[in-house]
Amino acid sequence: MPQAIIFDVDGTLVDSVDLHARSWQDAFRDFGHDIDAQAIRGHIGKGRDQLMPVFLSKDDLDRQGEAIAAHRSALFKERYLPLVTAFPGVRDLFQRLRQDRRTIALASSAKDDELHIYKRIAGIEDLTDAQTSSEDAERSKPHPDIFHAVLTRLNGIDPRAAIVVGDTPYDAEAAGKAGLRTIGVLCGGFAEKDLREAGCVAIYQDPADMLRRYADWIGL
C-alpha cells in the first residue's frame, strides 16, 4: 500500500499535451523546420534535452537549439498556457488522498513557473507536499533524474512505499529506473498498449476514474 503518490502533471493532471506539441511545431517552423504536430506529440513528456534531438541534426542543435527552445517557451506561455485546463476530478482525488494521510508529490518536466500555474489551474496549490520541475533534473524523462530528486525531497522514502501516476511511456520508464511502480492514465493520449509495455501496473482513464475506482489501486 503506497505511502506516497507521485504525479506527473502535463497530460496527467492538466490537458496540455496537444498545446505543447503545437508550440513546438510553431517554434520549429519559425526556424525553418516543418515538422508534423502529431510526430511531435508522441514525444511530449520528454524534456527539451530529449525531444529536440529527435527532430534536429547535431549541427542544427548546435546552431539553433538554444534559440528554438527559448522561442518555444515564450510561444507556449503567450499562446497556449492560457488554454490549459485541468482534467476532471483532480482536486477531489487529491483531497481523498489527503483524507487517507497519503503524501502527495509532483514530478514534472515543466519549468517551475509553469508548474505553479498548473497547480492553480488544477486547484491543488494547498494539497501537495513536494514537487520537482525541470530545474531539478540534469536529464529529463525517460531518464530517472526527476524521480530521484522527488524521492530526496520526500526524505528519501523507500521507492517501494511510493507509486507514480503518469500518462506517457516515458513516465513509466523513468520511474522504473528509480525503482518505482507506475499507474498509467489514458487522458494524455498514449495507447494503453504502450503504457503497459513501458511497465505500468494498472491503467485508468483519468484522475476522475482513479477516484471512482480508488479502492482498486490504493492497495497496490
Side-chain angles (χ1 to χ4, degrees):
M1 187 172 291
Q3 173 187 345
I5 317 298
I6 302 169
F7 288 89
D8 171 59
V9 179
D10 283 296
T12 300
L13 304 180
V14 298
D15 190 1
S16 58
V17 175
D18 286 327
L19 301 174
H20 278 294
R22 287 160 59 186
S23 70
W24 275 112
Q25 182 186 41
D26 292 350
F28 283 136
R29 184 186 296 119
D30 288 347
F31 280 79
H33 306 282
D34 190 11
I35 301 172
D36 181 68
Q38 280 303 113
I40 297 169
R41 195 191 194 287
H43 295 274
I44 300 299
K46 301 176 179 179
R48 53 172 278 195
D49 62 311
Q50 303 299 310
L51 184 150
M52 293 179 71
V54 175
F55 302 105
L56 299 179
S57 69
K58 186 179 185 305
D59 286 345
D60 287 335
L61 279 171
D62 290 343
R63 289 187 301 105
Q64 302 176 317
E66 289 299 324
I68 292 174
H71 184 50
R72 200 289 309 183
S73 180
L75 286 175
F76 181 76
K77 290 175 183 177
E78 177 184 349
R79 296 179 184 175
Y80 297 111
L81 186 56
L83 304 179
V84 174
T85 58
F87 288 118
V90 174
R91 182 171 176 83
D92 291 341
L93 175 60
F94 277 43
Q95 287 178 320
R96 177 65 186 275
L97 290 167
R98 268 278 186 263
Q99 290 169 7
D100 272 0
R101 301 182 183 279
R102 311 290 176 180
T103 299
I104 301 172
L106 305 179
S108 173
S109 296
K111 293 186 176 180
D112 194 57
D113 57 344
E114 293 174 8
L115 187 55
H116 284 291
I117 295 171
Y118 289 158
K119 289 170 66 176
R120 175 171 50 78
I121 290 169
I124 56 172
E125 293 171 292
D126 58 332
L127 296 174
T128 59
D129 299 293
Q131 67 183 46
T132 52
S133 64
S134 60
E135 285 86 345
D136 300 303
E138 182 177 347
R139 302 168 300 173
S140 66
K141 303 167 188 173
H143 294 287
D145 302 30
I146 200 74
F147 292 115
H148 288 314
V150 79
L151 286 169
T152 298
R153 294 194 178 180
L154 292 173
N155 297 317
I157 187 171
D158 190 321
R160 293 171 295 182
I163 199 161
V164 170
V165 180
D167 70 299
T168 77
Y170 318 121
D171 294 314
E173 291 170 23
K177 292 170 185 173
L180 292 156
R181 298 166 297 157
T182 301
I183 292 172
V185 288
L186 300 172
C187 47
F190 281 86
E192 179 173 349
K193 176 178 179 290
D194 294 336
L195 295 176
R196 290 198 182 278
E197 288 179 352
C200 288
V201 298
I203 306 287
Y204 297 90
Q205 183 60 44
D206 55 19
D209 188 32
M210 290 186 68
L211 180 59
R212 285 191 297 270
R213 300 163 63 189
Y214 187 80
D216 294 346
W217 63 270
I218 197 60
L220 289 173

